[in-house]
Amino acid sequence: MRKKLLLALIAGSCISAASVASSSDFIQAHLFPGSIYFNNQPANKQSGAFELLNYNGSVYVPLRYITENMGGRVHYDEAKKDIYIDRRVNNLTKAKISVSKQADNFVLNLHSEKETYKTNDIIHLWSSLIYLGEEEITVGHGNPIILFTVRDEEGISSDEIIETVLIRDQLKKNNEYEATLPLYIIESYNYNKKGRPNTKEFFEKEQPWLLSPGKYTIGVTADFKIDGDKKNKIIKSEITIQIEP
């Protein structure tokens, strides 16, 4: 098995940091032949995005790749040599504010964990679309069926991307779709807010998945079509949150 030298400082993460190192700062590690699976789906090692390392019987994995594939984000502070990991924790969550919008046999709910967040908080909003009709129906929609948007008081916004595919679902009474505000929408908003700067510098120097102080409107739109109807059914709802220093 081939051997590889790596800086002990990075300890298996894929974050690179330029530094001057003496011979004592190096260790020897073996390439690990196994694979990583996310929900039983193999990660793509063939792309060359990462290597797995075996050092003293422990497997070291690329921190950024693993974290982002589990829905989190990683920021490296080059000046302090600190690594920040932000992710949602799947604890029992109580909504502080909620709104509902009903249209015919559908209810679109939107919830926020807090009314006021701090600038270093992960923004946690989630939504559900529930069918209340008695008869079984078929609906067609893109992916996802629930779309989020973030908008500030100046009107700068970012919308969730929808895949141009057609998904058809059979719905019975109380069938429900659920969705959580994706972090990439906040990243996209901040990118637009800063005038679309150099992408590499934007992600390296900041934590763009966090919001700066101010008031924001988080909206959701459910866009779908019921078999037999001529027009799409569009339901919208929104919540206003405050971000404080």
Side-chain angles (χ1 to χ4, degrees), residues 117-148:
Y117 292 83
K118 297 295 185 181
T119 52
N120 60 348
D121 285 341
I122 292 290
I123 309 303
H124 187 193
L125 284 90
W126 64 99
S127 178
S128 63
L129 176 67
I130 306 172
Y131 174 60
L132 303 177
E134 297 292 340
E135 297 182 359
E136 185 173 331
I137 62 172
T138 301
V139 299
H141 59 87
N143 185 31
I145 188 173
I146 299 175
L147 301 167
F148 283 85

Side-chain angles (χ1 to χ4, degrees), residues 69-81:
N69 274 273
M70 296 180 71
R73 292 294 188 272
V74 174
H75 173 63
Y76 175 61
D77 188 323
E78 187 171 358
K80 297 180 180 179
K81 301 296 185 287

Side-chain angles (χ1 to χ4, degrees), residues 36 64 73 96 100 107 123-124 128 135 157 166 171 177 193 209:
I36 298 174
R64 186 182 298 280
R73 292 294 188 272
K96 288 293 181 69
S100 296
V107 173
I123 309 303
H124 187 193
S128 63
E135 297 182 359
S157 65
L166 178 61
L171 296 185
Y177 296 94
K193 175 77 172 180
W209 51 88

Side-chain angles (χ1 to χ4, degrees), residues 219-237:
V220 287
T221 300
D223 187 349
F224 56 97
K225 188 174 183 178
I226 302 172
D227 271 16
D229 289 355
K230 294 183 179 180
K231 295 183 179 180
N232 277 29
K233 186 174 293 294
I234 299 176
I235 312 172
K236 297 185 177 184
S237 190

Side-chain angles (χ1 to χ4, degrees), residues 59-103:
V59 178
Y60 288 77
V61 299
L63 180 62
R64 186 182 298 280
Y65 185 89
I66 295 297
T67 302
E68 291 184 351
N69 274 273
M70 296 180 71
R73 292 294 188 272
V74 174
H75 173 63
Y76 175 61
D77 188 323
E78 187 171 358
K80 297 180 180 179
K81 301 296 185 287
D82 290 331
I83 299 170
Y84 296 84
I85 301 174
D86 289 324
R87 67 183 183 90
R88 293 190 179 95
V89 179
N90 293 324
N91 293 331
L92 180 64
T93 303
K94 178 183 177 182
K96 288 293 181 69
I97 49 176
S98 300
V99 294
S100 296
K101 182 68 177 293
Q102 183 165 353

